Each structure stands twice: as C-alpha cells, then as structure tokens.
Amino acid sequence: MDLLTLINNGMQNQFFDMVVPVIYKATGPSIVPVVLAILLILAWALKWDKIKNILLLCFFALFFTYVFVFTLKLSYVSPRPYVVLSNIRMVCSDNGFNSFPSGHVAISMTVGSVILMKVKKHRSVLIVLLAMYMVVMAFTVMYAGVHYPGDVAAGLIVGLVSAFIAVFLSKRYLNSFSNI
C-alpha cells in the first residue's frame, strides 16, 4: 500500500473526516494572506516593529511562493489524485486545478521558514513546532485526496526556496528588513 492510499483510506475515520476539511480551508492560499494582514495591522497598531517586519517579510516571500506555485501548476499537468485514482476519496472540495505542487504546503512552509530564519529566541521550540505543523499539513492534503506525496515534497521545496530568496534579497537590498 502506498503512502497516499494508506493516509487517505487506511486512516479513514469520522474525526479526520470532520477536521481535515477545516484545516484545508483555513490554510488555503486566500486565507493565509488575510490572516497575515490582520496580524500586520495589529502589529502596526501596537507598535510591534519586529513582528511587523517579519510579517512584511512573510508577504515578500509569499510573492515568490505564489509565482513558483502557479508557474509550476500551469507548466506541469498533474490531475488531482481523486480524479485519477478510483481508490482515493475526496474529503473536501478544491478548485480542481493541477495537483503539482501543493500550494497549501508551499505557503505554510514559506511562512514557517521565514519565522524560523528571523526569530532567534526559542529556536529549538520553533523547529519542533514547524516540523509538527508541516506533518499536519502533509497529512491534511493527502488525507483530503488532493495531493500526492511528490506534490507535498515539491511544496516543501518551493516554500523553503521562496523564504530563502526573500530573506536573502531583504538582507541585500532592503535595509529596513536587515535588522530583523
């Protein structure tokens, strides 16, 4: 039994059937920027400059993530698993767009990586939290039947590369971010 079938069918239960769609919708490409914008407004209002700058850097990194994800989705035709494989259940609705790479995983990895690269305190705790979050995201998109394991791996790479590019460029060209 392959990993996708194991997660999508082998671990099927009512709890996951209820929770996975909520996680999937709450971490979507249109929700994450809204949450970051709300946090940015709050950070601006409370004069939390370091948090504000990290959130701005997250937006900058997400620009690269969206460009990479949509370029790959348009370039590489890969139907969703539930469309191609008869043994894969679709647990929650999606846009039906190409599967490769996982935008949910890429977005999550981008934001998590930027935070990990810029926050110096409690680094070991942040690493553990990011790892746990990425496991939850990988599980969520495969349990939902919308991504293959390769899509998840590609999403992790896209997110990490996007974060590195944004942090590098901000240090090199944007003085306001270099002291974060």
Side-chain angles (χ1 to χ4, degrees), residues 74-126:
L74 292 171
S75 302
Y76 183 76
V77 176
S78 175
R80 302 280 180 174
Y82 69 83
V83 173
V84 177
L85 304 171
S86 61
N87 64 330
I88 299 298
R89 306 171 308 118
M90 181 178 73
V91 177
C92 54
S93 63
D94 72 321
N95 61 13
F97 202 47
N98 288 331
S99 178
F100 182 85
S102 171
H104 282 76
V105 172
I107 290 165
S108 299
M109 188 64 171
T110 299
V111 173
S113 296
V114 167
I115 292 169
L116 189 59
M117 285 186 254
K118 299 314 284 182
V119 176
K120 305 298 183 212
K121 290 184 180 181
H122 312 294
R123 183 164 301 272
S124 57
V125 172
L126 284 174

Side-chain angles (χ1 to χ4, degrees), residues 37-52:
I38 291 168
L39 292 173
L40 182 60
I41 292 167
L42 181 64
W44 233 306
L46 297 174
K47 298 189 183 344
W48 294 341
D49 290 336
K50 187 169 185 156
I51 293 172
K52 177 187 73 173

